[in-house]
């Protein structure tokens, strides 16, 4: 079990995020080795105390724990596949964004080379790294996460999700789905209200209140989804669909884009045709849970 701030760590990939990760390790006192394809990006970090490695292989060999943060998984494979570094017994934490399939495949590849592997996802922008606001998700063998948690803690609020290496990527995109859906709904309402001279700043506090109320519904709705039972405790889907029709009608009458509400209403209409009109909104999980080709 590694503990204490004198534990060495390596960061491979010194883009905007890799540089922020390196600075957080340096601030926490970790001896930090760095490597980047374009070597000049290490210069300022070296002036701040980082140790430059001449090759990626040397960087991997310098510490028991290496953080990888590159553009995409293709870059990770290009780099690790050609590096002569010793991976046996080393732990790689790959914080590069990608899909769950890429994470699982990279885990198998790393483990075939004798490395321990955790996949991760960063739910933060570079300036937040090193603060509690930076949520960093990890998945893979729990013992490997526990072994390095005290070092990873320098980066922010580090979270372990489970043994399946794909979980961090799945939570990452699920979080993005949540974020964009909230923003899209707010933009739809803002576009509508602007047609009546209400500016975005005036609508924002009301929208925030609605978002907070809806957030309160999630645990109860999650119980309905997990139990597969959707009694209409507060409202039935067929009632919600009538309100969706109003939203579409208002949007079209005001010359506002109605594509998004039409898409959601089409899903709700299909659910009603399938016999779920008397059930509560989360029954739409059945529409969200299956792919459509058309
Ligand atoms: N920046 C952010 O706000 C987001 C927040 C959420 C998570 N992302 C993910 O983090 C990964 C890195 O993002 P980044 O912002 O640091 O990206 P860049 O500044 O573009 O740096 C990319 C680094 O990758 C190196 N690189 C690319 N291809 C290769 C390769 N074939 N071999 C070796 N290194 C490679 C690149 O090197 P160079 O161009 O400087 O030589 C940079 O170090 C990313 O997955 C985000 O989705 C950040």
């Amino acid at each position: 079990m590694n503990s204490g701030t004198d534990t060495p760590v390596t960061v491979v990939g010194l883009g905007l995020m890799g540089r922020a990760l390196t600075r957080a390790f340096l601030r926490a006192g970790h001896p930090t080795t760095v490597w980047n394809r374009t070597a000049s990006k290490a210069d300022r970090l070296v002036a701040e105390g980082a140790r430059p490695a001449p090759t990626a292989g040397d960087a991997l060999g310098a510490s028991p724990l290496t953080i990888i943060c590159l553009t995409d998984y293709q870059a990770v494979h290009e780099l690790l596949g050609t590096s002569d570094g010793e991976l046996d017994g080393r732990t790689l934490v790959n914080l590069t964004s990608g899909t769950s399939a890429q994470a699982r495949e990279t885990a198998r590849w790393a483990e075939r080379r004798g490395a321990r592997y955790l996949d991760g996802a960063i739910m933060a922008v570079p300036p937040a790294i090193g603060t509690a606001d930076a949520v960093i998700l990890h998945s893979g063998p729990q013992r490997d996460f526990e072994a390095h948690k005290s070092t990873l803690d320098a980066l922010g609020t580090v979270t372990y999700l489970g043994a399946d290496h794909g979980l961090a990527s799945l939570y990452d995109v699920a979080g993005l789905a949540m974020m964009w859906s909230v923003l899209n709904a707010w933009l739809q309402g803002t576009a509508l209200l602007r047609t009546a001279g209400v500016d975005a700043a005036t609508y924002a506090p009301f929208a925030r209140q609605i978002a907070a109320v809806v957030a309160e519904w999630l645990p109860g709705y999650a119980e309905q989804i997990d139990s597969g039972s959707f009694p209409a405790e507060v409202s039935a889907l067929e009632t919600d669909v009538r309100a969706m029709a109003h939203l579409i009608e208002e949007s079209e009458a005001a010359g506002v884009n109605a594509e998004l509400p039409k898409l959601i209403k089409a899903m709700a209409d299909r659910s009603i045709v399938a016999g779920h009109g008397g059930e509560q909104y989360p029954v739409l999980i059945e529409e969200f849970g299956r792919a459509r080709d058309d």
Side-chain angles (χ1 to χ4, degrees):
M1 180 87 61
N2 293 311
S3 61
T5 58
D6 56 352
T7 311
V9 61
T10 289
V11 178
V12 168
L14 302 175
L16 284 170
M17 187 52 85
R19 295 200 293 275
L21 299 171
T22 302
R23 289 197 170 99
F25 283 130
L26 289 172
R27 279 199 302 275
H30 292 281
T32 307
T33 299
V34 291
W35 183 86
N36 194 60
R37 180 179 62 179
T38 307
S40 58
K41 286 191 187 166
D43 291 349
R44 283 186 58 185
L45 296 169
V46 170
E48 293 167 35
R51 302 166 182 193
T55 67
D58 291 326
L60 291 165
S63 313
L65 173 66
T66 292
I67 311 298
I68 302 167
C69 191
L70 304 182
T71 306
D72 52 27
Y73 277 69
Q74 190 183 334
V76 172
H77 283 282
E78 276 171 22
L79 179 66
L80 294 182
T82 55
S83 110
D84 55 358
E86 181 56 68
L87 291 185
D88 209 22
R90 309 275 163 190
T91 300
L92 306 179
V93 175
N94 183 13
L95 299 181
T96 303
S97 301
T99 66
S100 57
Q102 288 174 319
R104 292 179 188 126
E105 197 264 319
T106 307
R108 286 193 295 273
W109 178 88
E111 285 163 2
R112 279 198 301 274
R113 292 198 48 189
R116 300 180 184 283
Y117 182 84
L118 290 164
D119 207 89
I122 302 174
M123 310 296 291
V125 290
I129 298 298
T131 75
D133 289 341
V135 173
I136 305 186
L137 309 173
H138 298 83
S139 51
Q142 184 162 11
R143 65 166 195 279
D144 297 332
F145 175 75
E146 298 296 345
H148 296 286
K149 182 178 179 304
S150 62
T151 303
L152 297 169
D153 276 339
L155 301 180
T157 302
V158 298
T159 304
Y160 177 72
L161 299 171
D164 174 356
H165 285 97
L167 281 174
S169 294
L170 281 172
Y171 268 82
D172 187 15
V173 290
L176 294 174
M178 197 71 205
M179 183 183 83
W180 284 322
S181 295
V182 171
L183 287 175
N184 292 338
W186 176 65
L187 291 171
Q188 181 83 38
T190 300
L192 270 169
L193 282 164
R194 274 157 53 105
T195 67
V198 180
D199 61 15
T202 303
Y203 172 50
F206 177 80
R208 185 177 174 168
Q209 210 177 353
I210 299 284
V213 169
V214 173
E216 288 295 314
W217 298 348
L218 297 185
Y221 280 10
E223 273 179 34
Q224 291 201 336
I225 291 172
D226 290 341
S227 68
S229 165
F230 306 94
E233 289 155 353
V234 292
S235 178
L237 186 60
E238 58 202 3
T239 307
D240 296 332
V241 161
R242 283 194 289 275
M244 287 178 193
H246 298 155
L247 171 57
I248 293 166
E249 197 181 324
E250 282 285 9
S251 299
E252 287 180 336
V256 161
N257 192 315
E259 286 172 285
L260 185 59
K262 277 183 175 171
L263 176 70
I264 303 302
K265 182 170 179 296
M267 293 173 82
D269 285 341
R270 282 199 299 273
S271 185
I272 289 172
V273 168
H276 299 298
E279 296 175 80
Q280 196 150 264
Y281 201 84
V283 74
L284 285 185
I285 189 64
E286 293 173 11
E287 291 296 322
F288 277 95
R290 64 169 161 253
R292 281 177 62 86
D293 296 329
D294 55 332

Short mmCIF file of all heavy atoms in Angstrom, two decimals, residues 94 160 226 259:
data_model
loop_
_atom_site.label_atom_id
_atom_site.label_comp_id
_atom_site.label_asym_id
_atom_site.label_seq_id
_atom_site.Cartn_x
_atom_site.Cartn_y
_atom_site.Cartn_z
N ASN A 94 -5.36 5.09 -16.60
CA ASN A 94 -5.58 5.78 -17.88
C ASN A 94 -6.78 6.72 -17.76
O ASN A 94 -7.92 6.28 -17.71
CB ASN A 94 -5.82 4.72 -18.97
CG ASN A 94 -5.97 5.36 -20.33
OD1 ASN A 94 -5.66 6.55 -20.51
ND2 ASN A 94 -6.45 4.59 -21.29
N TYR A 160 -14.19 5.33 -6.57
CA TYR A 160 -14.08 3.98 -7.14
C TYR A 160 -15.47 3.46 -7.47
O TYR A 160 -16.37 3.50 -6.63
CB TYR A 160 -13.38 3.05 -6.13
CG TYR A 160 -13.31 1.62 -6.62
CD1 TYR A 160 -12.44 1.28 -7.65
CD2 TYR A 160 -14.14 0.65 -6.09
CE1 TYR A 160 -12.39 -0.03 -8.13
CE2 TYR A 160 -14.10 -0.66 -6.56
CZ TYR A 160 -13.22 -0.99 -7.58
OH TYR A 160 -13.18 -2.27 -8.06
N ASP A 226 -35.94 0.25 -11.21
CA ASP A 226 -35.29 -0.97 -10.74
C ASP A 226 -36.30 -2.07 -10.42
O ASP A 226 -35.98 -3.25 -10.52
CB ASP A 226 -34.40 -0.67 -9.53
CG ASP A 226 -33.17 0.16 -9.93
OD1 ASP A 226 -32.84 0.18 -11.14
OD2 ASP A 226 -32.55 0.79 -9.06
N GLU A 259 -37.64 20.61 -32.67
CA GLU A 259 -37.13 19.25 -32.93
C GLU A 259 -37.00 18.42 -31.65
O GLU A 259 -37.36 17.24 -31.63
CB GLU A 259 -35.75 19.32 -33.60
CG GLU A 259 -35.77 19.74 -35.04
CD GLU A 259 -34.37 19.97 -35.57
OE1 GLU A 259 -33.76 21.00 -35.22
OE2 GLU A 259 -33.88 19.10 -36.31
#
